[in-house]
Amino acid sequence: MQAWSSRPVPSLPQSPAAPPLQAFDTATQQVVPIGPNTGSARMYVCGITPYDATHIGHANTYVAFDLVHRVWRDRGLEVNYVQNVTDIDDPLLERAADLGVDWAALAEEETQLYREDMAALNVLPPQHYVGAVESMPLIVDLIEQLRQRQAVYPVDDSDFEDLYFAQASDAEFGSLSQLSEEEAVAIFAERGGDPDRAGKKAPLDCLVWRHARTGEPSWPSVLGAGRPGWHIECTAIALDRLGVGFDVQAGGSDLIFPHHEMCAAQGRVATDQPFAQAYLHSGMVGLDGEKMSKSKGNLVFVSSLRASGVDPMAIRLALLAHHYRDDWDWTDELLISGQDRLDRWREAVRLDAGLNADEVLATMRAALAHDLDAPAALAAVDAWAGASVAIDSDDAESPALVARACDALLGVAL
Ligand code: 5CA
Ligand code: ZN
């Protein structure tokens, strides 16, 4: 699929003292080094299911991992970043049926809106933007590999034969989310799983291939005509575009279980190697105390804010004012303070001279390298901007350097 295009990333003076990226890995529950020190770094971020417009929660997640992309680039790493589009799955078919529209047209329309939102928010595009539909051969191949390893079995439900991944085939299953069986089963049922389906070997076994049903789209394959389950899509796309043991799989914390647990398990069973080296998860954004989600309908859309004249950079600053791992609620006040901050920064970088910027650059780099601490990076720019407006300095280079640093490291174009 076509991704989107972004503003060029300004270059910054390199500093050998800049610390390498560390972040909190859900699997080990520790802050660990993320990516190599030199060469190329590989990241997979789970993309949208395009049945509705990008909301602030989505935007927060993609802006969070855009920081990984930016920090890696700033370290001189070459980045191979892959993002998928779940352009076939139950929620998309259900929404299309409710709206009385074609599911593929709905997916295309919402994906296009998402691209526009990402470009407006100055989120760097992935190198590979990959849909499930265009990945059918990869997905089918991976299921075949799992079947040869006895990790996939059929479940007969009258006329249909659906294929399931057996969690028991992976000795490390559960190590990412570390939930009790009871918790896992409850969450699985909430997030698209079918723990009670008759004929399964274990409640947490997940669907990998759904045999064609009348009235549903399906693709012919050696497995029989059908369509893929959710998790196998990301496992297949990640392994194909990034290879085994890539640096990071990322997404919102609602993906820890079952999604990332299943991907990790399927990847390990298929390759006998770790799937990703680390798993990063952003917090959930809510509205009035409830997680923002399409199913609850409590959504603030990026496109609606943009249409009402909100500067996307103010939205970005409102998001970056929170640590990416925190859960928080969206409010109109956040947008107002994002806009205020943007105005103050713009005023400061338009000065002819300001305080020396080397220190602010070093602080921004250190903050982001330490578990993507965007609020600390913002505080450094706030302090610089406040002091620059107040004093009369002869450091003519500094406003331009701070503007470049905000753009390159935080994605905030001033
Ligand atoms: N297509 C799958 C991933 S393969 C999916 O989860 N799609 S999604 O459209 O439901 O979500 C896209 C991304 O946004 C995921 O990383 C998800 O964790 C994140 N997300 C969804 N809701 C929120 C929210 N309220 N706050 C923060 N992130 C969210
Ligand atoms: Zn995914």
Side-chain angles (χ1 to χ4, degrees), residues 56-122:
I56 284 288
H58 299 133
N60 191 55
T61 290
Y62 298 110
V63 165
F65 302 115
D66 187 47
L67 297 178
V68 173
H69 196 167
R70 289 172 180 278
V71 172
W72 273 347
R73 284 185 56 138
D74 183 54
R75 295 282 306 172
L77 296 172
E78 212 179 287
V79 180
N80 188 358
Y81 172 18
V82 177
Q83 190 178 122
N84 69 304
V85 186
T86 307
D87 56 0
I88 182 67
D89 202 6
D90 295 344
L92 177 65
L93 296 178
E94 286 159 16
R95 178 61 64 92
D98 286 352
L99 297 173
V101 298
D102 174 50
W103 64 272
L106 177 63
E108 182 43 47
E109 193 179 313
E110 298 299 355
T111 304
Q112 182 52 26
L113 188 57
Y114 170 77
R115 291 184 184 104
E116 289 162 18
D117 289 333
M118 291 299 108
L121 290 170
N122 203 18

Side-chain angles (χ1 to χ4, degrees), residues 4 299 375:
W4 55 93
L299 306 174

